[in-house]
Each structure stands twice: as C-alpha cells, then as structure tokens.
Amino acid sequence: MSSYSEDDAFEAAVPLSRRAMAARPAPYLDDLNPAQRQAVEALEGPVLMLAGAGTGKTKALTARIVHLLTTGSARPNEVLAVTFTNKAAREMKNRVGRMLGETVEGMPWLGTFHAICVKLLRRHAELVGLKSNFTILDTDDQIRLLKQLISASNIDDKRWPARMLSGIIDQWKNRAWTPEKVPAAEASAYNNRGTELYDQYQRRLRELNAVDFGDLLLHMVTIFQTHPDVLDQYQRWFRYILVDEYQDTNVAQYLWLRLLAGGHKNICCVGDDDQSIYGWRGAEVGNILRFEKDFPGATVVRLEQNYRSTAHILAAAGGVIRGNEGRLGKELWTEAQDGEKVRLIGHWDGEEEARWIGEEIEAMQRGTRGGRPVSLDEMAILVRASHQMRAFEDRFLTIGLPYRVIGGPRFYERLEIRDAMAYFRLVVSPSDDLAFERIVNTPKRGLGDKAQQKIQMCAREHGTSLLDGARILLQDKGLTGKGAARLAAFVEQIDRWHPIATAQAAAPQPMDEDALIMDDSAPARPAVSHMELAEVMLDESGYTAMWQADKTPEAPGRLENLKELIKALESFDNLQGFLEHVSLIMDNESEQEGAKVSIMTLHAAKGLEFPAVFLPGWEDGLFPSQRSMDESGLKGLEEERRLAYVGITRAEELCTISFAGNRRVFGQWQSALPSRFIDELPEDHVDVLTPPGLYGGGYGAAAAPQSNLHDRAAEANVYNSPGWRRMQARAGQRPIAQPRESRAPVIDLDAVSAYTVGDRVFHQKFGYGAIAAIEGDKLSVDFEKAGVKKVVAKFIMGADDVPF
Ligand code: ATP
Ligand code: MG
C-alpha cells in the first residue's frame, strides 16, 4: 500500500510581485519563433498547438507558464499544468524557475493527472463515500481483493482469472464508466459477470477506504459531474490550464479537463497525432483531433520548424511516418545542417549488436570515431521491448560502461527475474533459505503464512535449512491436506534438479551446441544443458504457467524477460557460474556519479531528446511487435509506426538503427527479417554500414547503390548469406515473423543433406575440417585443429559458405 504526502497547495501559494516582474526583460519570449510566441501570448481562450516532434511545443508551453506568471495573469497556484510523467513535471518546474531567474514557490498543480487528482480527491473524498486519508492500492492488493470477490461468487478463477477482470475494470475506468455507466454492450464481459463484480469491487474499496489508480480520475470526474458547486470552485480557481502530450489522454482524463475548462475555456493543449503511442492503454488520439469542435474559436497554432534534429534525421522520420493513413500530415523543416545520415547496420545476432553498440559508444565518448567527443549523458539506447535491455546491460557491465535504465527496474531487478533466479539458487544450493522463502509459494501452492511459519519453526527446531525443515515437517505429518501434497511435490522437484545442476558445475566446459556434439572421447556430461534445466524448472514448477495465465498487460513482457534470462545463461558453463556473475553485477550496482548512457523503452522516451540515439532490434515481429499487430491489426501496426517516428525524432545529431539476423529464444536460433520500417526509410538519408568482421570489415563499405535499403542491409548482413540459409534449413526453424510474400524465402530446403564424404566444412567451435563419415544426421569430421569429432549436421556449414 502506498500513500501520498502532499502540501496544502492552496495555502502554500506565494503571489509573485507584479511590479518586479514587469520591470524585467522577457528573454523567454526572445527565444521563440512567431508561431510559438503567438501560442504563448494568446492567454485568453482555448489554444491548440498541434505540431510534429521537436518543434518546440513543450518549450512554448513552459514559456506560457512563465508568461502567465510574469504578466501577473495568474499566481503560481492558479495554474494547472499537466505533464505525462513525474520526470517531465520536475523538468518543467526547473525550466520555469530558470526562465524566471528564481526558484518557483508553489506551482503545486504542475504534475501528472494522477498526482494532481490525488490532491484533489483528498479534499473531497467524502463526496464519493471515502475518508480523506484513503489508501491507494497497488496492483497486487487490487488483485487480492478481486480474487476474494471472485471466489465468493463461485467463479472458477482458473478459467476467469482475477487479472483479466482487473484489466477489464481498468479499461472501463479509463473510459470514465462507473458501474452504473458500463454500457449494455459490455454485459458479456468476464463471463457475463463483469459489471456485477465491478460494482462489488467498488463497494468493497469504499468499505476499505481505498482507491485504485483508475479511481483517482474516475472519482474526480464523478464529483465534478454531480457537484456543480465543487466544479465551479475549481473552474474559478484554476484560471489557466495547460496540457502537454495531449494526444495520449484517455477518455477519463479528457472529460476531467473539459469539465475544468468549461467556464473560462483558458486551456492550452499541445501534442502531435503522429506521436500517439498509448492506444493500448486507452488513449484516444481523437481527443486532440476534436479539440476545435470541443472549444470553438480556438487559436490553432501550427509549428513546422524542427529545432532538434539534423535534416537527414528529420527526413528519415518523415519517410517512415508517411506510411500511416488518416494522419494530419504535417511537414517539418529545419535550418539545421544535413548532418550525418541515419546509419543502418545488420548484425549476426543480438549479442553482436550489443557489442558493436558498446564499442561505438566508447569510440564516440573518446572522440575517435571522428567528430566531437560525446558525453555518455548525451547518448541513449531506445528499445521496443524491455527484454532487449538485458544484452546491453550485460555487455556494459562487462566493459565497465556506466548506464542507467530509465522508467523501470534494471533487468536483474525485475520481479520475474528475481523469482526465476531464486529457483536457480535453491537448486544450486538447497540451503539458500531466502530463495526458498521467495518461491515456496510462487506460484501458489496453497502454502500460506501459517504453513510457512510451520516450516520455519521446524527448521529452527532441527537446526536445518528451510528445505530440510519442510522435509522433516512432511515426514512428521506436521502439515496435511492439499498444501502438504504440493509441498512434497516441490521438495521432490528440487531434489531431482539439484544433482543435475551439481553435475553440470563439475562437468567440463560445454559450449552452445555442445549438448549435441557426440564426442566419445569427452568425459560423461549430464544429458541436459543448464539452459534446458532452467527451462524445465520454470515449466515444471508452474512458474511459466503462472504468467501465461496472467491477463495483465505486463504478463507477456514478463514471459519475454524469462526467455531472455534463459538466453543469458548461454554464455556461462553452468547455473552456478551465472549466479556468480549476477551477484557481481548487483554488487557493482551502487550508484556511480558521473555521466551514463541511458537505456529505456521507446514509450519512456517520449518528449526527450539526445544528441546520439541507438535504435536496436528493428526486426519484424519484435518491431513492429507481432503481438500488437495480432491484437490490433492495422491499428496496431500504425501505432508501432508512430513509435518508430518517436524513436528517430529523439535524435539530434546521430541516429543509428540496427537489427540482428538471429536471436536465440529458449536455446533455439530463430532467424528474423529486418523490420518493414527499414524499407520505409528514405534511401537518400540513410547510410548502410557493413558489420565489422564481414568482408574484411570497415564501416561504410556499402553495397550496390541501386538496390533498395532492405536488400542492401540484408546483403551486408550474414543472415542472408547462403551458409546461413542452409543452416536455417537444416535446423528447420521458423523465423520469428513470417516473411512477406514479396520476399524470397529465407529457407532453402534443397540444401538439407547436401554433404558427401571429403567435403570441407566449418564448425563454429572447431573451425575447418573435412567430412570423414556420415551417419544419419551426424557427421564425423576431421577438424584441422581439433581432430576427429562427431557433430550434428545442422551445426556446420560448407567451407565456401562461411561469410567471414
Ligand atoms: P516532442 O514532440 O518530441 O515533445 P516538442 O515539440 O515538445 O517535441 P521541444 O522539446 O519543446 O519540442 O523542443 C525541441 C528542441 O528544440 C529543444 O531542444 C528546444 O530547446 C529547441 N527549441 C524549441 N523552440 C526553439 C526556438 N524557437 N529556437 C531555438 N530552439 C528551440
Ligand atoms: Mg514535448
């Protein structure tokens, strides 16, 4: 449970001296172009600034606040300014302070919708049946509460999970529907019981004197709609309303704003329809397109000059977003120099991509790649999916490159990663009590607090670990019923996995595909690799299934993170080695001072800017995300394209897009096609780089200029080499995304069993050799350096096909 402490915003207000202000020059106006100035100076009445990325919307909005204060039109506490994140609110507050040349006292109503609504709701809680000291439930509490209601209603929560209901309720709240207002068309939701349970849930929250996040807005909208006197009070109090990133407001936020602005209509909204990226959370881009209808006579300001990016970057972004239909279609221009073209590079795999970006960053920092030295603070890596961060974090930790993750925990701090690692820890060292505690009832095994206390007591009594304590407790029949059976199963699993993990730690050096090498001379090794073991543990314990059954928006991301975790194991010999690596990482993590590279998702990058931006993972299926296309079709694809636009337009001077031909998912190679957005980049503004190590290496050794970008990038990339295709064919694997019809198939089936005795071949670990014998799908190869080994055919390629 969390609670907010807030200053009393109304009392704290300190009026600024009009005279002192009037005597100052207004440098904040001199910095603006005429259109921005118009938006700043048109203080009365509605104003809409609808303009593309980097055109100075946020800057103008900030200047408008300063203008309101300096001209004495409003006191700091009479300005309601809404930003999308707390970070943006802090930045805006600081900027206002800098522009005014003094720290701003007050400005209590500059913040996110949620932060502002908490303050308001505390003042009027009794109007919706709450006390002013209500608590705000986090997601876990919310789910627990829903579960109670579900089980009391005799609903099978396996078929109808609580998280599904919580997702439905959130969406309803985003639309400002109280239980009475949920339309009849939604009656079938959650097996026809959705509305009824929503109603019960709201009642229960009231009894508990609690709200969830969605309630903060919902209750305020209800209060304003049902208490005209209260609304009137705030309409007069908030004399000016300003909203940044208006394209991402949902219906509840929109209604709330419209109610508050309903009197004086002094509302200034800024946004960009091309940057609407929260449709999946209920944002309605229609809100911004409807502004002129909602507020007739609005001053509409269009900004077209971009001040952020070089001409090449701007043109590349413009080329991509042109693929969307039904947009307003703004053209941006810049006075900035052409600068460097957007760079495009394809890599063999995700690890190689991370390594290359790490080297680029170091070279840029030192200034050895040409151009000025760039500080780490000036560089950012923007990913589509948070699981992509792992490869970068690992790489940067290895080379000691300081980084920060913005907008979320670092990879190894994530809930699901910590859970999974607790399984690994317990299996490696069964006396790790902390690990035991963490997972004994995760997923739920019916071992609540009471059962866990019994285990604790038993362990203490016998002076053993918790795992042994559990064993003794079971023997002594100290625990009975369903919980006992499931605890027994859990203990049995750990006992079964422990010797395998130990054997792996004792065995010599396995490498990736070693599990499949039939080398008679090698000492005995466990039949399964540590990666397989990890996968088995997460599956058989029910941990993976727990997230598969979870219907919250975060669940798919958590499953992807788990896959990524398995991938991370690949570089280690066994679980123990991996755990040591992670504990070192966590040890290193103490906040270093100084400049750091930022890593964040594209969603978290909205509104920000960096001189150098890396955009990795541009592969169909990852970006655009397959899930988003499956769930929302063309609408989903267009939202993905807007994300691409947001990504490119974060860059001021240098933008580097990359993709990997292969990613390893659960120990299996999967090949991927470059993102369709790569095809949409205008060629004249892009340089295709050749990855180091290929064709003698060296950047800029671009391929044939006539072919299109996609082909050029693909040609420059190993994934398209005949050898790779043949390997794919032998592995018989499906690419992450289906190739589009217009493209040549990547898989060349004829290549299977293409070998004869005497062929010269290449193996990633053993190097070159000649085939001595063929037995089924296994080849006996006489390697030049390693001698005779039996290898599986799919892990070798013809010596002529080796691309480097
Ligand atoms: P986004 O759509 O990405 O949120 P934005 O429209 O809000 O972008 P800002 O972040 O306000 O754009 O401005 C982009 C950059 O351009 C900032 O570095 C800002 O200082 C600069 N800038 C804006 N207006 C001007 C101007 N008139 N003269 C010089 N620089 C400007
Ligand atoms: Mg902005």
PDB file of all heavy atoms in Angstrom, residues 31-33 36 51-60 95 244-245 272 275 307-308 607-609 649-650 652, ligand 1:
ATOM      1  N   ASP A  31      13.408  33.971 -27.319  1.00  0.00           N
ATOM      2  CA  ASP A  31      13.864  32.650 -27.778  1.00  0.00           C
ATOM      3  C   ASP A  31      12.867  31.954 -28.700  1.00  0.00           C
ATOM      4  O   ASP A  31      13.120  30.846 -29.143  1.00  0.00           O
ATOM      5  CB  ASP A  31      14.005  31.709 -26.559  1.00  0.00           C
ATOM      6  CG  ASP A  31      15.330  31.916 -25.881  1.00  0.00           C
ATOM      7  OD1 ASP A  31      16.117  32.705 -26.412  1.00  0.00           O
ATOM      8  OD2 ASP A  31      15.550  31.282 -24.838  1.00  0.00           O
ATOM      9  N   LEU A  32      11.702  32.556 -28.875  1.00  0.00           N
ATOM     10  CA  LEU A  32      10.632  31.824 -29.571  1.00  0.00           C
ATOM     11  C   LEU A  32      10.435  32.331 -30.991  1.00  0.00           C
ATOM     12  O   LEU A  32      10.718  33.495 -31.296  1.00  0.00           O
ATOM     13  CB  LEU A  32       9.312  31.984 -28.812  1.00  0.00           C
ATOM     14  CG  LEU A  32       9.329  31.545 -27.349  1.00  0.00           C
ATOM     15  CD1 LEU A  32       7.985  31.878 -26.695  1.00  0.00           C
ATOM     16  CD2 LEU A  32       9.600  30.050 -27.225  1.00  0.00           C
ATOM     17  N   ASN A  33       9.946  31.502 -31.858  1.00  0.00           N
ATOM     18  CA  ASN A  33       9.591  31.960 -33.204  1.00  0.00           C
ATOM     19  C   ASN A  33       8.189  32.569 -33.150  1.00  0.00           C
ATOM     20  O   ASN A  33       7.482  32.417 -32.147  1.00  0.00           O
ATOM     21  CB  ASN A  33       9.734  30.807 -34.215  1.00  0.00           C
ATOM     22  CG  ASN A  33       8.736  29.687 -33.959  1.00  0.00           C
ATOM     23  OD1 ASN A  33       7.614  29.924 -33.518  1.00  0.00           O
ATOM     24  ND2 ASN A  33       9.155  28.462 -34.228  1.00  0.00           N
ATOM     25  N   GLN A  36       5.276  30.240 -32.108  1.00  0.00           N
ATOM     26  CA  GLN A  36       5.352  29.870 -30.683  1.00  0.00           C
ATOM     27  C   GLN A  36       4.924  31.060 -29.828  1.00  0.00           C
ATOM     28  O   GLN A  36       4.196  30.922 -28.845  1.00  0.00           O
ATOM     29  CB  GLN A  36       6.781  29.476 -30.310  1.00  0.00           C
ATOM     30  CG  GLN A  36       7.237  28.126 -30.835  1.00  0.00           C
ATOM     31  CD  GLN A  36       8.698  27.875 -30.567  1.00  0.00           C
ATOM     32  OE1 GLN A  36       9.524  28.782 -30.736  1.00  0.00           O
ATOM     33  NE2 GLN A  36       9.035  26.658 -30.179  1.00  0.00           N
ATOM     34  N   ALA A  51       1.542  19.965 -33.477  1.00  0.00           N
ATOM     35  CA  ALA A  51       2.738  20.066 -34.308  1.00  0.00           C
ATOM     36  C   ALA A  51       3.645  18.875 -34.107  1.00  0.00           C
ATOM     37  O   ALA A  51       3.583  18.176 -33.097  1.00  0.00           O
ATOM     38  CB  ALA A  51       3.476  21.359 -33.967  1.00  0.00           C
ATOM     39  N   GLY A  52       4.499  18.664 -35.088  1.00  0.00           N
ATOM     40  CA  GLY A  52       5.379  17.499 -35.106  1.00  0.00           C
ATOM     41  C   GLY A  52       6.449  17.546 -34.023  1.00  0.00           C
ATOM     42  O   GLY A  52       6.555  18.490 -33.243  1.00  0.00           O
ATOM     43  N   ALA A  53       7.224  16.489 -34.020  1.00  0.00           N
ATOM     44  CA  ALA A  53       8.246  16.312 -32.991  1.00  0.00           C
ATOM     45  C   ALA A  53       9.310  17.400 -33.066  1.00  0.00           C
ATOM     46  O   ALA A  53       9.683  17.837 -34.158  1.00  0.00           O
ATOM     47  CB  ALA A  53       8.909  14.956 -33.173  1.00  0.00           C
ATOM     48  N   GLY A  54       9.764  17.831 -31.902  1.00  0.00           N
ATOM     49  CA  GLY A  54      10.907  18.733 -31.839  1.00  0.00           C
ATOM     50  C   GLY A  54      10.639  20.140 -32.352  1.00  0.00           C
ATOM     51  O   GLY A  54      11.567  20.892 -32.637  1.00  0.00           O
ATOM     52  N   THR A  55       9.367  20.507 -32.463  1.00  0.00           N
ATOM     53  CA  THR A  55       9.057  21.841 -32.980  1.00  0.00           C
ATOM     54  C   THR A  55       8.937  22.862 -31.863  1.00  0.00           C
ATOM     55  O   THR A  55       8.610  24.019 -32.102  1.00  0.00           O
ATOM     56  CB  THR A  55       7.731  21.830 -33.775  1.00  0.00           C
ATOM     57  OG1 THR A  55       6.728  21.208 -32.966  1.00  0.00           O
ATOM     58  CG2 THR A  55       7.892  21.056 -35.066  1.00  0.00           C
ATOM     59  N   GLY A  56       9.164  22.439 -30.647  1.00  0.00           N
ATOM     60  CA  GLY A  56       9.160  23.391 -29.539  1.00  0.00           C
ATOM     61  C   GLY A  56       7.818  23.539 -28.855  1.00  0.00           C
ATOM     62  O   GLY A  56       7.519  24.596 -28.297  1.00  0.00           O
ATOM     63  N   LYS A  57       7.021  22.499 -28.864  1.00  0.00           N
ATOM     64  CA  LYS A  57       5.734  22.563 -28.169  1.00  0.00           C
ATOM     65  C   LYS A  57       5.939  22.669 -26.667  1.00  0.00           C
ATOM     66  O   LYS A  57       5.361  23.515 -26.006  1.00  0.00           O
ATOM     67  CB  LYS A  57       4.901  21.300 -28.464  1.00  0.00           C
ATOM     68  CG  LYS A  57       4.558  21.111 -29.915  1.00  0.00           C
ATOM     69  CD  LYS A  57       3.692  19.875 -30.144  1.00  0.00           C
ATOM     70  CE  LYS A  57       4.406  18.570 -29.803  1.00  0.00           C
ATOM     71  NZ  LYS A  57       5.567  18.261 -30.640  1.00  0.00           N
ATOM     72  N   THR A  58       6.767  21.770 -26.129  1.00  0.00           N
ATOM     73  CA  THR A  58       6.991  21.775 -24.687  1.00  0.00           C
ATOM     74  C   THR A  58       7.684  23.071 -24.269  1.00  0.00           C
ATOM     75  O   THR A  58       7.374  23.649 -23.231  1.00  0.00           O
ATOM     76  CB  THR A  58       7.810  20.537 -24.273  1.00  0.00           C
ATOM     77  OG1 THR A  58       7.134  19.375 -24.735  1.00  0.00           O
ATOM     78  CG2 THR A  58       7.968  20.450 -22.773  1.00  0.00           C
ATOM     79  N   LYS A  59       8.592  23.517 -25.117  1.00  0.00           N
ATOM     80  CA  LYS A  59       9.278  24.770 -24.808  1.00  0.00           C
ATOM     81  C   LYS A  59       8.277  25.933 -24.756  1.00  0.00           C
ATOM     82  O   LYS A  59       8.297  26.740 -23.831  1.00  0.00           O
ATOM     83  CB  LYS A  59      10.339  25.054 -25.883  1.00  0.00           C
ATOM     84  CG  LYS A  59      11.157  26.301 -25.622  1.00  0.00           C
ATOM     85  CD  LYS A  59      12.191  26.527 -26.728  1.00  0.00           C
ATOM     86  CE  LYS A  59      12.788  27.901 -26.626  1.00  0.00           C
ATOM     87  NZ  LYS A  59      14.104  27.878 -25.987  1.00  0.00           N
ATOM     88  N   ALA A  60       7.361  25.960 -25.732  1.00  0.00           N
ATOM     89  CA  ALA A  60       6.380  27.052 -25.755  1.00  0.00           C
ATOM     90  C   ALA A  60       5.430  26.945 -24.555  1.00  0.00           C
ATOM     91  O   ALA A  60       5.063  27.956 -23.951  1.00  0.00           O
ATOM     92  CB  ALA A  60       5.608  27.024 -27.070  1.00  0.00           C
ATOM     93  N   ARG A  95      12.645  24.310 -15.415  1.00  0.00           N
ATOM     94  CA  ARG A  95      12.804  25.240 -16.531  1.00  0.00           C
ATOM     95  C   ARG A  95      12.079  26.551 -16.281  1.00  0.00           C
ATOM     96  O   ARG A  95      12.586  27.617 -16.600  1.00  0.00           O
ATOM     97  CB  ARG A  95      12.269  24.611 -17.825  1.00  0.00           C
ATOM     98  CG  ARG A  95      13.303  23.748 -18.502  1.00  0.00           C
ATOM     99  CD  ARG A  95      13.028  23.711 -19.990  1.00  0.00           C
ATOM    100  NE  ARG A  95      12.916  22.339 -20.451  1.00  0.00           N
ATOM    101  CZ  ARG A  95      12.450  21.974 -21.644  1.00  0.00           C
ATOM    102  NH1 ARG A  95      12.024  22.881 -22.492  1.00  0.00           N
ATOM    103  NH2 ARG A  95      12.399  20.715 -21.991  1.00  0.00           N
ATOM    104  N   ASP A 244       0.465  19.021 -21.764  1.00  0.00           N
ATOM    105  CA  ASP A 244       1.468  18.533 -22.723  1.00  0.00           C
ATOM    106  C   ASP A 244       1.077  17.118 -23.154  1.00  0.00           C
ATOM    107  O   ASP A 244       0.365  16.417 -22.427  1.00  0.00           O
ATOM    108  CB  ASP A 244       2.857  18.529 -22.063  1.00  0.00           C
ATOM    109  CG  ASP A 244       3.977  18.517 -23.105  1.00  0.00           C
ATOM    110  OD1 ASP A 244       3.694  18.542 -24.315  1.00  0.00           O
ATOM    111  OD2 ASP A 244       5.158  18.486 -22.691  1.00  0.00           O
ATOM    112  N   GLU A 245       1.538  16.686 -24.311  1.00  0.00           N
ATOM    113  CA  GLU A 245       1.279  15.326 -24.818  1.00  0.00           C
ATOM    114  C   GLU A 245      -0.213  15.006 -24.816  1.00  0.00           C
ATOM    115  O   GLU A 245      -0.638  13.918 -24.403  1.00  0.00           O
ATOM    116  CB  GLU A 245       2.042  14.275 -23.974  1.00  0.00           C
ATOM    117  CG  GLU A 245       3.519  14.553 -23.788  1.00  0.00           C
ATOM    118  CD  GLU A 245       4.379  14.104 -24.970  1.00  0.00           C
ATOM    119  OE1 GLU A 245       3.831  13.639 -25.983  1.00  0.00           O
ATOM    120  OE2 GLU A 245       5.611  14.256 -24.859  1.00  0.00           O
ATOM    121  N   ASP A 272       0.878  15.919 -30.660  1.00  0.00           N
ATOM    122  CA  ASP A 272       1.229  15.525 -32.024  1.00  0.00           C
ATOM    123  C   ASP A 272       0.520  14.205 -32.306  1.00  0.00           C
ATOM    124  O   ASP A 272       0.787  13.204 -31.645  1.00  0.00           O
ATOM    125  CB  ASP A 272       2.758  15.346 -32.089  1.00  0.00           C
ATOM    126  CG  ASP A 272       3.231  14.849 -33.439  1.00  0.00           C
ATOM    127  OD1 ASP A 272       2.395  14.736 -34.366  1.00  0.00           O
ATOM    128  OD2 ASP A 272       4.437  14.584 -33.578  1.00  0.00           O
ATOM    129  N   GLN A 275       2.499  11.100 -32.649  1.00  0.00           N
ATOM    130  CA  GLN A 275       3.213  10.522 -31.514  1.00  0.00           C
ATOM    131  C   GLN A 275       2.264   9.891 -30.511  1.00  0.00           C
ATOM    132  O   GLN A 275       2.611   9.701 -29.343  1.00  0.00           O
ATOM    133  CB  GLN A 275       4.070  11.588 -30.831  1.00  0.00           C
ATOM    134  CG  GLN A 275       5.197  12.089 -31.706  1.00  0.00           C
ATOM    135  CD  GLN A 275       6.102  13.050 -30.952  1.00  0.00           C
ATOM    136  OE1 GLN A 275       6.817  12.691 -30.038  1.00  0.00           O
ATOM    137  NE2 GLN A 275       6.044  14.305 -31.339  1.00  0.00           N
ATOM    138  N   TYR A 307      13.602  22.119 -34.337  1.00  0.00           N
ATOM    139  CA  TYR A 307      14.854  22.666 -33.799  1.00  0.00           C
ATOM    140  C   TYR A 307      15.752  21.578 -33.220  1.00  0.00           C
ATOM    141  O   TYR A 307      16.769  21.866 -32.637  1.00  0.00           O
ATOM    142  CB  TYR A 307      14.561  23.678 -32.700  1.00  0.00           C
ATOM    143  CG  TYR A 307      13.893  24.936 -33.192  1.00  0.00           C
ATOM    144  CD1 TYR A 307      12.511  25.061 -33.173  1.00  0.00           C
ATOM    145  CD2 TYR A 307      14.660  26.000 -33.666  1.00  0.00           C
ATOM    146  CE1 TYR A 307      11.895  26.215 -33.609  1.00  0.00           C
ATOM    147  CE2 TYR A 307      14.045  27.163 -34.103  1.00  0.00           C
ATOM    148  CZ  TYR A 307      12.658  27.263 -34.080  1.00  0.00           C
ATOM    149  OH  TYR A 307      12.062  28.403 -34.521  1.00  0.00           O
ATOM    150  N   ARG A 308      15.308  20.366 -33.301  1.00  0.00           N
ATOM    151  CA  ARG A 308      16.025  19.327 -32.578  1.00  0.00           C
ATOM    152  C   ARG A 308      17.026  18.578 -33.444  1.00  0.00           C
ATOM    153  O   ARG A 308      18.154  18.352 -33.024  1.00  0.00           O
ATOM    154  CB  ARG A 308      15.020  18.333 -31.999  1.00  0.00           C
ATOM    155  CG  ARG A 308      15.665  17.187 -31.245  1.00  0.00           C
ATOM    156  CD  ARG A 308      14.629  16.224 -30.714  1.00  0.00           C
ATOM    157  NE  ARG A 308      13.821  16.845 -29.676  1.00  0.00           N
ATOM    158  CZ  ARG A 308      12.558  16.545 -29.437  1.00  0.00           C
ATOM    159  NH1 ARG A 308      11.939  15.633 -30.182  1.00  0.00           N
ATOM    160  NH2 ARG A 308      11.893  17.148 -28.479  1.00  0.00           N
ATOM    161  N   GLY A 607       9.031  12.771 -25.613  1.00  0.00           N
ATOM    162  CA  GLY A 607       9.316  14.124 -25.146  1.00  0.00           C
ATOM    163  C   GLY A 607      10.787  14.403 -24.878  1.00  0.00           C
ATOM    164  O   GLY A 607      11.180  15.535 -24.689  1.00  0.00           O
ATOM    165  N   LEU A 608      11.626  13.347 -24.840  1.00  0.00           N
ATOM    166  CA  LEU A 608      13.047  13.549 -24.524  1.00  0.00           C
ATOM    167  C   LEU A 608      13.871  13.743 -25.790  1.00  0.00           C
ATOM    168  O   LEU A 608      13.419  13.461 -26.897  1.00  0.00           O
ATOM    169  CB  LEU A 608      13.593  12.337 -23.762  1.00  0.00           C
ATOM    170  CG  LEU A 608      12.835  11.922 -22.511  1.00  0.00           C
ATOM    171  CD1 LEU A 608      13.516  10.715 -21.863  1.00  0.00           C
ATOM    172  CD2 LEU A 608      12.762  13.078 -21.520  1.00  0.00           C
ATOM    173  N   GLU A 609      15.107  14.190 -25.634  1.00  0.00           N
ATOM    174  CA  GLU A 609      16.000  14.318 -26.784  1.00  0.00           C
ATOM    175  C   GLU A 609      17.439  14.021 -26.374  1.00  0.00           C
ATOM    176  O   GLU A 609      17.837  14.269 -25.239  1.00  0.00           O
ATOM    177  CB  GLU A 609      15.886  15.718 -27.411  1.00  0.00           C
ATOM    178  CG  GLU A 609      16.160  16.862 -26.447  1.00  0.00           C
ATOM    179  CD  GLU A 609      15.782  18.243 -27.012  1.00  0.00           C
ATOM    180  OE1 GLU A 609      14.970  18.312 -27.955  1.00  0.00           O
ATOM    181  OE2 GLU A 609      16.311  19.236 -26.501  1.00  0.00           O
ATOM    182  N   THR A 649      12.922  10.599 -33.991  1.00  0.00           N
ATOM    183  CA  THR A 649      12.911  12.038 -33.705  1.00  0.00           C
ATOM    184  C   THR A 649      13.462  12.390 -32.322  1.00  0.00           C
ATOM    185  O   THR A 649      13.474  13.553 -31.959  1.00  0.00           O
ATOM    186  CB  THR A 649      11.485  12.629 -33.828  1.00  0.00           C
ATOM    187  OG1 THR A 649      10.602  11.874 -32.979  1.00  0.00           O
ATOM    188  CG2 THR A 649      10.991  12.573 -35.263  1.00  0.00           C
ATOM    189  N   ARG A 650      13.903  11.400 -31.549  1.00  0.00           N
ATOM    190  CA  ARG A 650      14.590  11.745 -30.290  1.00  0.00           C
ATOM    191  C   ARG A 650      16.025  12.177 -30.561  1.00  0.00           C
ATOM    192  O   ARG A 650      16.681  12.751 -29.704  1.00  0.00           O
ATOM    193  CB  ARG A 650      14.644  10.544 -29.317  1.00  0.00           C
ATOM    194  CG  ARG A 650      13.324   9.979 -28.802  1.00  0.00           C
ATOM    195  CD  ARG A 650      12.413  11.027 -28.261  1.00  0.00           C
ATOM    196  NE  ARG A 650      11.455  11.440 -29.284  1.00  0.00           N
ATOM    197  CZ  ARG A 650      10.768  12.564 -29.215  1.00  0.00           C
ATOM    198  NH1 ARG A 650      10.904  13.383 -28.214  1.00  0.00           N
ATOM    199  NH2 ARG A 650       9.923  12.894 -30.184  1.00  0.00           N
ATOM    200  N   GLU A 652      19.252  14.093 -32.036  1.00  0.00           N
ATOM    201  CA  GLU A 652      19.604  15.428 -32.504  1.00  0.00           C
ATOM    202  C   GLU A 652      20.625  15.350 -33.639  1.00  0.00           C
ATOM    203  O   GLU A 652      20.473  15.985 -34.668  1.00  0.00           O
ATOM    204  CB  GLU A 652      20.164  16.256 -31.354  1.00  0.00           C
ATOM    205  CG  GLU A 652      19.128  16.516 -30.262  1.00  0.00           C
ATOM    206  CD  GLU A 652      19.732  17.148 -29.012  1.00  0.00           C
ATOM    207  OE1 GLU A 652      20.894  17.578 -29.048  1.00  0.00           O
ATOM    208  OE2 GLU A 652      19.019  17.189 -27.992  1.00  0.00           O
TER     209      GLU A 652
HETATM  210  P1  ATP B   1       8.271  16.468 -28.816  1.00  0.00           P
HETATM  211  O1  ATP B   1       7.176  16.381 -29.837  1.00  0.00           O
HETATM  212  O2  ATP B   1       9.330  15.492 -29.074  1.00  0.00           O
HETATM  213  O3  ATP B   1       7.750  16.509 -27.426  1.00  0.00           O
HETATM  214  P2  ATP B   1       8.483  19.332 -28.717  1.00  0.00           P
HETATM  215  O4  ATP B   1       7.680  19.869 -29.831  1.00  0.00           O
HETATM  216  O5  ATP B   1       7.894  19.378 -27.386  1.00  0.00           O
HETATM  217  O6  ATP B   1       8.989  17.891 -29.096  1.00  0.00           O
HETATM  218  P3  ATP B   1      10.673  20.706 -27.510  1.00  0.00           P
HETATM  219  O7  ATP B   1      11.173  19.591 -26.713  1.00  0.00           O
HETATM  220  O8  ATP B   1       9.925  21.786 -26.846  1.00  0.00           O
HETATM  221  O9  ATP B   1       9.851  20.133 -28.750  1.00  0.00           O
HETATM  222  O10 ATP B   1      11.860  21.381 -28.317  1.00  0.00           O
HETATM  223  C1  ATP B   1      12.793  20.633 -29.050  1.00  0.00           C
HETATM  224  C2  ATP B   1      14.145  21.297 -29.021  1.00  0.00           C
HETATM  225  O11 ATP B   1      14.125  22.478 -29.803  1.00  0.00           O
HETATM  226  C3  ATP B   1      14.569  21.717 -27.638  1.00  0.00           C
HETATM  227  O12 ATP B   1      15.956  21.498 -27.504  1.00  0.00           O
HETATM  228  C4  ATP B   1      14.249  23.184 -27.600  1.00  0.00           C
HETATM  229  O13 ATP B   1      15.064  23.893 -26.699  1.00  0.00           O
HETATM  230  C5  ATP B   1      14.517  23.613 -29.026  1.00  0.00           C
HETATM  231  N1  ATP B   1      13.703  24.763 -29.458  1.00  0.00           N
HETATM  232  C6  ATP B   1      12.366  24.836 -29.441  1.00  0.00           C
HETATM  233  N2  ATP B   1      11.952  26.012 -29.927  1.00  0.00           N
HETATM  234  C7  ATP B   1      13.051  26.721 -30.269  1.00  0.00           C
HETATM  235  C8  ATP B   1      13.282  28.030 -30.842  1.00  0.00           C
HETATM  236  N3  ATP B   1      12.296  28.835 -31.169  1.00  0.00           N
HETATM  237  N4  ATP B   1      14.557  28.383 -31.041  1.00  0.00           N
HETATM  238  C9  ATP B   1      15.572  27.563 -30.731  1.00  0.00           C
HETATM  239  N5  ATP B   1      15.426  26.333 -30.195  1.00  0.00           N
HETATM  240  C10 ATP B   1      14.173  25.915 -29.966  1.00  0.00           C
END
